[in-house]
Each structure stands twice: as structure tokens, then as C-alpha cells.
């Protein structure tokens, strides 16, 4: 659905996007994760045709968004800096959207009044930043988009509104098969919502993963043996990280938990705990193997 290949965007010679490639399937919720300055907004603006990249290709459904009114109809972009007409109320803005977007749904607009609970006669510019985001989101959903692009959507939202936002995103995906791209500097924020994650660092995607593949295939082991860990066992495990605390070995191992447990138990361990990893830990260990400065990417 969304494809980017070797995209480069420079600002005065600085490569804000430095050969970025990513792939987002239709109906997927894709989390674009990276620290401030990684290039998330620059990529999103290039995708939306607000910036013209210097090199590379970005397409949505095989077409570029730039100068393409059909694509623009079907994509909703909620930027990190919102713009609303100064004097418009929520209802005025809704009427304006209804005139532009052919799939606008007044029914959805009515239904969501109960979720957002903001008087539609209020002027949008007078609302708090967080409320303005909610309004942008509310109006965006009513356009029944094929693609929704959200740049740091939960910044400035309280926990209740965050939960509301996520549940609406997931409901929209379930109902309409909407493809969603969400950027965030916080992996933990997105791990329950996304099915795919791209980790961005210095203008590139350094890792792209389906979360189903990631979870379950990597485990933390705490082991202790009488006389230390047998070399044979060590050699039979796919170890990606190792630490020793006194007589206890902490290992990060790739593989199915039942297979790992079977191997370990052959050697009669004194202690053998197999624990799942959080998504954050998984990325930290995997990226570590690739030689990246992890804390700067994920924390
Ligand atoms: P993110 O959204 O991941 O925080 P940005 O895409 O906003 O990152 O910025 C990536 C890098 O590009 C930063 O170093 C930023 O300073 C630079 N940059 C972004 N926009 C511009 C611009 N319009 N002019 C010059 N530099 C920019
Ligand atoms: Mg940004």
C-alpha cells in the first residue's frame, strides 16, 4: 500500500532522510518509531507531497501523492502542527470537510460526539492543543479514509484520550481496512496498537518487523548449573546476548520456548527460568547485534 525506496531528502546539504526504505501493507497499523530528529516528520511530509524528496520513490497504492487529487481524497494526514481556519467552530470545519471529502459521514460525526464530548459550536482555535488534536482526529475519521497518517498523535493527550484514540484507530482498521501510519518517539506507546514497526534512526529505517514474528521467537533465560553452563548447551543455543550474575547466567536466546526448555533440561539445571521479553527489550537486543547505539534510538 505504502512503499518507499531509497528516499533521500536534504536540507542545506544535511541528509534528514538518508536512503530510507519502508513497506506498509494495506490494513496494517505501522508504527514509525525513532528519537526526535530521526526524520519521521520529514518522511511523512515527503509521503504527503509537502516536500519533494531529492532521490528515491514514495508511492501510495502505486501512485505518488504529490499533485494527485485522488490520493489526497483518500488520505488523512494529522500533522504535529495543526492548522485550522481562525474563526471556524468544529461544526463549521465539519461542513467544510463534508464539501471536500466525498466519503464524509455525518452519521460517524454524530456517533463520535459521545466519545469526544466537545461542544461542536466551540471555536477550534480556542481549544487546548490536545483537544485540537482530538478534533482533527474526529474529523479525519469521518472522511472514511483509506490511509491515515498520524504524526506523534498522542503528544499532549491525557491517558483517557489516548485510550480513546487508540480504540478508534483499531476500530476504524477493523471496520474499513484502513491503513495507518503512526509516528512516535516512544515504542511503548505503540506496541499495543501496531502490527508492524519500523525503527528509524538518522534518516533510515534500521529495522522493520511484523510484531507477531518478533514476539514469541526470542526469550530471556536465567540458568544456573552445578559447575557452570555446559559448553555443549551453549553451542546448541542461538544466543544473542549474555550476562553473568554470580552463579546465574542471563541469556537472550532466539527460538521457540518449548525447544529451548527441552535443550536446557537435558543438562539438569539447578535454575532454569524462561521469560518473555518486552518489545522494547527485543528491539534493544536485536539492534545491539547490528551495532547501533540503542539507548539513543529507543529510550
Ligand atoms: P522527527 O520528526 O523524527 O523528530 P524531523 O523529520 O522533524 O525529525 O527532522 C529530521 C532532521 O531534519 C532534524 O535534524 C531537523 O533539524 C532537520 N529538519 C527538518 N525539517 C527541516 C527544515 N525544514 N529545514 C532544515 N532542517 C530541517
Ligand atoms: Mg516529528
Amino acid at each position: 500500500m505504502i512503499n518507499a525506496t531509497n528516499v533521500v531528502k536534504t536540507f542545506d546539504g544535511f541528509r534528514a532522510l538518508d536512503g530510507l526504505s519502508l513497506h506498509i501493507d494495506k490494513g496494517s497499523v505501522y508504527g514509525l518509531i525513532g528519537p526526535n530528529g530521526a526524520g519521521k516528520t520529514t518522511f511523512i511530509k515527503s509521503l504527503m507531497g509537502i516536500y519533494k524528496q531529492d532521490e528515491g520513490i514514495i508511492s501510495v497504492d502505486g501512485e505518488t501523492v504529490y499533485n494527485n487529487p485522488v490520493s489526497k481524497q483518500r488520505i488523512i494526514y494529522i500533522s504535529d502542527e495543526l492548522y485550522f481556519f481562525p474563526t471556524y467552530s468544529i461544526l463549521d470545519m465539519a461542513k467544510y470537510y463534508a464539501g471536500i471529502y466525498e466519503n464524509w459521514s455525518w452519521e460517524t460525526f454524530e456517533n463520535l460526539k459521545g466519545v469526544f464530548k466537545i461542544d461542536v459550536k466551540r471555536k477550534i482555535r480556542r481549544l487546548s492543543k490536545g483537544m485540537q488534536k482530538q478534533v482533527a482526529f474526529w474529523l479525519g475519521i469521518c472522511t472514511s479514509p483509506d490511509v491515515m497518517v498520524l504524526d506523534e498523535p498522542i503528544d499532549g493527550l491525557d491517558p483517557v484520550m489516548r485510550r480513546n484514540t487508540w480504540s478508534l484507530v483499531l476500530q476504524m482498521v477493523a471496520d474499513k481496512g484502513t491503513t495507518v501510519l503512526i509516528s512516535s518517539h516512544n515504542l511503548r506507546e505503540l506496541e499495543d496498537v501496531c502490527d508492524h514497526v519500523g525503527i528509524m534512526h538518522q534518516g533510515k529505517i534500521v529495522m522493520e518487523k511484523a510484531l507477531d514474528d518478533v514476539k514469541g521467537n526470542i526469550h530471556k533465560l536465567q540458568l544456573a548449573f552445578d559447575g557452570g553452563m555446559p559448553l555443549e548447551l551453549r553451542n546448541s543455543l542461538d544466543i544473542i546476548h549474555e550476562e553473568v550474575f554470580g552463579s546465574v547466567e542471563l541469556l537472550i536466546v532466539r527460538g521457540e520456548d518449548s525447544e529451548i526448555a527441552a535443550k536446557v533440561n537435558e543438562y539438569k539445571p539447578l535454575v532454569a527460568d524462561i521469560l518473555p521479553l518486552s518489545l522494547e527489550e527485543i528491539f534493544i537486543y536485536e539492534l545491539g547485534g547490528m551495532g547501533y547505539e540503542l539507548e539513543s534510538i529507543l529510550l
Side-chain angles (χ1 to χ4, degrees):
M1 183 78 177
I2 299 176
N3 281 297
T5 313
N6 293 324
V7 178
V8 174
K9 172 70 189 171
T10 54
F11 296 109
D12 299 325
F14 170 73
R15 292 164 83 89
L17 299 180
D18 189 13
L20 176 144
S21 298
L22 61 72
H23 309 279
I24 307 176
D25 293 333
K26 184 173 162 32
S28 167
V29 180
Y30 186 103
L32 183 65
I33 320 268
N36 293 326
K40 302 180 296 295
T41 298
T42 305
F43 171 69
I44 286 171
K45 287 185 172 171
S46 305
L47 167 71
M48 295 309 302
I50 296 164
Y51 291 152
K52 186 89 189 80
Q53 70 268 23
D54 305 321
E55 293 172 32
I57 296 166
I58 307 176
S59 65
V60 177
D61 236 357
E63 296 185 56
T64 55
V65 180
Y66 195 71
N67 276 344
N68 185 336
V70 178
S71 308
K72 280 192 180 144
Q73 267 279 332
R74 292 163 39 219
I75 301 184
I76 277 293
Y77 163 46
I78 300 183
S79 91
D80 53 347
E81 304 155 347
L82 296 169
Y83 178 79
F84 294 102
F85 300 122
T87 62
Y88 272 36
S89 67
I90 297 173
L91 187 60
D92 294 332
M93 204 69 198
K95 286 178 183 161
Y96 174 75
Y97 270 45
I100 309 182
Y101 292 98
E102 55 193 32
N103 292 331
W104 174 267
S105 165
W106 281 110
E107 191 189 340
T108 306
F109 183 75
E110 288 299 322
N111 290 341
L112 291 178
K113 277 183 182 172
V115 174
F116 292 107
K117 299 191 176 76
I118 310 173
D119 181 353
V120 298
K121 292 192 211 68
R122 289 183 70 180
K123 300 244 186 298
I124 302 174
R125 285 281 197 101
R126 302 252 174 84
L127 301 173
S128 74
K129 278 265 181 302
M131 289 164 95
Q132 292 187 10
K133 279 215 161 157
Q134 292 293 293
V135 171
F137 194 66
W138 180 0
L139 298 175
I141 290 176
C142 297
T143 69
S144 313
D146 290 345
V147 179
M148 196 166 213
V149 178
L150 307 167
D151 196 356
E152 308 262 3
I154 43 173
D155 262 20
L157 297 190
D158 62 56
V160 175
M161 271 304 157
R162 283 179 193 209
R163 235 177 300 130
N164 274 341
T165 305
W166 293 142
S167 84
L168 288 169
V169 167
L170 294 178
Q171 200 180 328
M172 187 176 65
V173 171
D175 291 349
K176 306 205 171 102
T178 313
T179 307
V180 183
L181 169 61
I182 310 173
S183 83
S184 176
H185 54 269
N186 189 335
L187 176 63
R188 223 169 290 145
E189 258 322 324
L190 296 190
E191 72 174 299
D192 296 332
V193 218
C194 297
D195 46 54
H196 288 72
V197 161
I199 306 284
M200 190 165 181
H201 183 51
Q202 296 178 351
K204 290 188 189 68
I205 297 289
V206 293
M207 189 192 294
E208 191 171 71
K209 291 242 182 224
L211 295 191
D212 280 352
D213 296 348
V214 176
K215 292 179 176 172
N217 196 38
I218 184 164
H219 299 276
K220 189 190 297 188
L221 266 63
Q222 283 174 318
L223 302 177
F225 293 90
D226 193 9
M229 184 166 162
L231 190 62
E232 277 168 53
L233 174 61
R234 181 186 302 277
N235 291 339
S236 72
L237 295 173
D238 185 0
I239 299 171
I240 60 175
H241 182 81
E242 183 170 0
E243 284 171 56
V244 182
F245 298 99
S247 58
V248 177
E249 296 257 354
L250 177 82
L251 303 174
I252 307 298
V253 175
R254 246 189 269 271
E256 286 277 336
D257 54 353
S258 56
E259 277 174 36
I260 294 170
K263 281 184 191 168
V264 167
N265 288 331
E266 275 178 43
Y267 296 91
K268 308 266 181 295
L270 301 175
V271 175
D273 293 321
I274 302 189
L275 310 164
L277 271 74
S278 72
L279 197 56
E280 192 165 355
E281 288 176 303
I282 294 172
F283 282 116
I284 284 180
Y285 289 121
E286 294 227 353
L287 286 166
M290 295 161 69
Y292 286 99
E293 277 287 330
L294 311 165
E295 281 68 20
S296 76
I297 298 182
L298 291 172
L299 304 176

